[in-house]
Amino acid sequence: AVLGPPCVGKHTQADALRRAFGVCRISAQELMSASSSDEEAVSTLGTLLQRNECRRGFVLDGFPTTVAQAARLDEELAKQNKSLDAAIFLDAPEDVLVERCQGRLLHEASGRLYHDAHRIPLEKGVDDFTGNPLVRPPFEESKFKAQVERYQKDSKLLRQFFSKRPVMSVRDVDATKTIDQVSAACLEPIGARSE
């Protein structure tokens, strides 16, 4: 699971892990948009894990966010004889997160993310693959601050929850470095476990 506050790079790093290991990526947005409760989100996850592209494994992008979700996730994975091998907590200072949120660009149809400074599209304002226009998601500072505060509180409890598992790798990663440096730090605990 790749976890972190808003705009820290969860999607980017989960996608890097997906490519590195040939596994599927399942995002919190997929799970929460299709459901109204933790129970429904985990049930949706259970269904998604049945897809062919998930047969080699999976990476969770921004899920679970609470201990209650993590406990329910454990139950669902146990039913399918699967496990969560690593929890990677990405972190960056709030000013970096704000800059990343404000510079985001989105290709709505595919979910591809770009950034004004960190992942620049080949042609300004246009998706690299389709040529369709990119949109800038709205940024509401009060909503952002509330999400960061909630993440900080919940992530402490999640770290404790995951740290109690001797077979699980829990890692904090500084997400202020380059995309490639952060990817290497994310791959480290997982690569060591797969050897």
Side-chain angles (χ1 to χ4, degrees), residues 8-190:
V8 76
K10 297 179 295 289
H11 179 92
T12 298
Q13 296 308 321
D15 209 45
L17 292 170
R18 178 193 61 78
R19 287 190 310 273
F21 293 102
V23 299
C24 71
R25 179 183 67 81
I26 300 172
S27 74
Q29 283 182 315
E30 281 177 89
L31 300 175
M32 300 314 280
S33 67
S35 57
S36 58
S37 68
D38 289 350
E39 187 74 27
E40 288 178 20
V42 173
S43 177
T44 299
L45 173 63
T47 302
L48 293 173
L49 289 174
Q50 303 291 324
R51 299 179 302 185
N52 282 338
E53 60 263 34
C54 296
R55 69 184 180 279
R56 294 186 68 202
F58 61 95
V59 60
L60 299 177
D61 170 358
F63 188 87
T65 59
T66 65
V67 170
Q69 289 174 348
R72 182 65 191 98
L73 173 64
D74 277 353
E75 293 169 11
E76 182 62 36
L77 293 176
K79 285 187 212 172
Q80 296 191 30
N81 290 322
K82 297 180 184 199
S83 64
L84 192 61
D85 296 329
I88 299 166
F89 291 87
L90 301 176
D91 199 23
E94 193 169 316
D95 61 321
V96 171
L97 299 175
V98 168
E99 182 269 330
R100 288 183 182 178
C101 283
Q102 291 175 336
R104 265 191 173 170
L105 297 165
L106 171 70
H107 180 249
E108 289 182 302
S110 69
R112 275 187 293 278
L113 290 173
Y114 297 87
H115 191 274
D116 290 335
H118 306 295
R119 184 170 278 185
I120 303 167
L122 295 173
E123 184 180 333
K124 186 176 178 147
V126 176
D127 179 58
D128 292 348
F129 298 94
T130 65
N132 293 338
L134 300 173
V135 298
R136 188 171 306 278
F139 175 75
E140 297 174 36
E141 191 163 354
S142 60
K143 183 178 175 183
F144 166 80
K145 286 189 179 289
Q147 289 172 328
V148 169
E149 285 177 25
R150 187 173 350 132
Y151 168 76
Q152 289 170 343
K153 182 185 82 167
D154 291 341
S155 68
K156 287 178 187 172
L157 298 172
L158 269 176
R159 277 185 187 86
Q160 292 171 356
F161 179 86
F162 289 139
S163 294
K164 293 177 182 173
R165 291 168 167 63
V167 297
M168 186 173 189
S169 177
V170 179
R171 172 103 185 214
D172 290 309
V173 173
D174 177 0
T176 62
K177 299 180 190 287
T178 68
I179 290 172
D180 290 340
Q181 289 170 324
V182 175
S183 293
C186 290
L187 283 167
E188 191 176 297
I190 299 166

